[in-house]
Amino acid sequence: MKKVEEFPIGSVSPAPRRLAPGPKGHPILGVMPEFNRDTLGFIRRCRDYGDVVRARFFYVTAYFLYHPDDIEYVVSTNAKNFLKAMSLRSNFFHRLVGNGLLTSEGEVWKRQRRLAQPAFHRQRINAYGDVMVDYARRMSAKWLDGEIRDIHRDMMRLTLEIVVKTLFSADVSQDADKVGQVLSQIVKPFASQATIKWILDNRLPTAAHRRFHREAQAIDDIVYRIITERRESGLDRGDLLSMLIEAHDEDGSRMTDKQLRDEVMTLFLAGHETTALTLSWTWYLLAQNPGVEQKFHSELDTVLAGRLPTLEDLPALKYTDRIVKEAMRLYPPAYGLGREAIEDCEIGGFSVPRKAQIFMFQWATQRDARFFPDPDEFYPERWTEEFSSSLPKYAYFPFGGGPRFCIGNTFAMMEIVLVLATMGQRFRFSLVPDHPVSILPAMSLRPKDGIRVVIESRHAKHKASQ
Ligand code: HEM
């Protein structure tokens, strides 16, 4: 019972702790069926309940946060009270990326982040600019005018080649390539994390479960062999693996083989598909917005005048940068962040108990009309400096924020702009009309059946019209 003296006459007693509103859902499964039927629609519909929404997934209580201030509270200002959500701590994820940066917590995470950070400093990753341009040029050199291609498949292939080259160098690319291929295959059946099937596959020795572990073991064998060979050779190849091997704490201690393996797998998983998706969705949006595409081409023609882009061109490719920002607003590859509360807390005036799973969706907040006028419009012009600085910090967070901010964001932005500039200079894409593009919200926001386009050589068109 509260003591009387806590509320002297005339003072306002604290408001009783409030439970956030939200959909009821199925008596046993909660909102799981509705969430699985139409994940993105459900996420956006839930916003109608308010900025903090409570929903039950089977036996798990989840909170959806829609307001940038509440997102900032969880991700940044009060980050100490939150772990990564339980989906990231699942057996499945742990088997793949172990205690790598994406999944580790506490002191282990802090040390790994400290050791890995220098490998992502701008001056270090600048060395990869040429690789990015070269690989984009090589891939597009094989394209034919009028050819129909799945541009998403091409972008997946390209970013895989780039991550393989920048992580491991060319000497081991065949093996590393295999790691990437197997990895993208084995995450597929586990794409949707909220289904009963997924929960069972993750816990019971089903056939899918056994296959997954077999393939994960095959990847481990390759990655450990690459690490051993590199250690034995003593060579610094200037790639990410060499930097991680060389990284050491003030007391001289370095990463063990197991830690190296976990970080390599993490960088593969976190860096490859996200970057490919941004490129794919950007091409998709450009193909549908000829006015924007024309301005994109004219910037490329003015800044590059026919030569290949380099790092030094990046500051001048301002409109291209805005196109990418806007594409990541509408199609954020990581469309949600998940956390678990360590202690009871209050968010946006609602009580949130310990162990609650908290989700913040780039997909919803980045399309919120309170922060982005005409939120569903692709409008790169909106990204003026004034607009960016007037925006609440967590209205736009494609790379997350706070201490767990994406370590690869500069690497990714550099890669995306350089690839767009290299390919956009020579080609444009038009969508194949009888191939509807739909979104599959799996671990990331994927085009369900790819994005089929007709390749058009800008140069050929130019010549033909002369
Ligand atoms: C467009 C591309 C990318 C997007 C949209 C993206 C998005 C994100 C997001 C949202 C997070 C935060 C997750 C959380 O807080 O729960 C994150 C973390 C991370 N990302 Fe990225 N990422 C991209 C590219 C990359 C690349 C290229 C790499 C590496 C080569 C990378 C490596 C990582 C790592 C290691 C973390 C964990 C950081 C930590 O917790 O300390 N990402 N990324």
Side-chain angles (χ1 to χ4, degrees), residues 40-74:
L40 298 178
F42 181 74
I43 290 168
R44 285 185 82 176
R45 281 195 299 282
C46 274
R47 198 172 54 191
D48 296 343
Y49 288 94
D51 279 327
V52 182
V53 176
R54 186 168 169 271
R56 184 175 55 80
F57 287 77
F58 200 16
Y59 58 89
V60 175
T61 305
Y63 287 78
F64 293 176
L65 310 184
Y66 293 95
H67 197 281
D69 294 350
D70 298 333
I71 298 170
E72 180 165 19
Y73 174 80
V74 171

Side-chain angles (χ1 to χ4, degrees), residues 84 101-102 109 113 271 274 278 339 398-400 404 406-407:
K84 288 287 178 104
L101 274 176
L102 205 57
W109 167 76
R113 179 95 190 193
T274 43
T278 308
R339 295 290 187 270
F399 291 105
R404 308 299 299 244
C406 175
I407 203 170

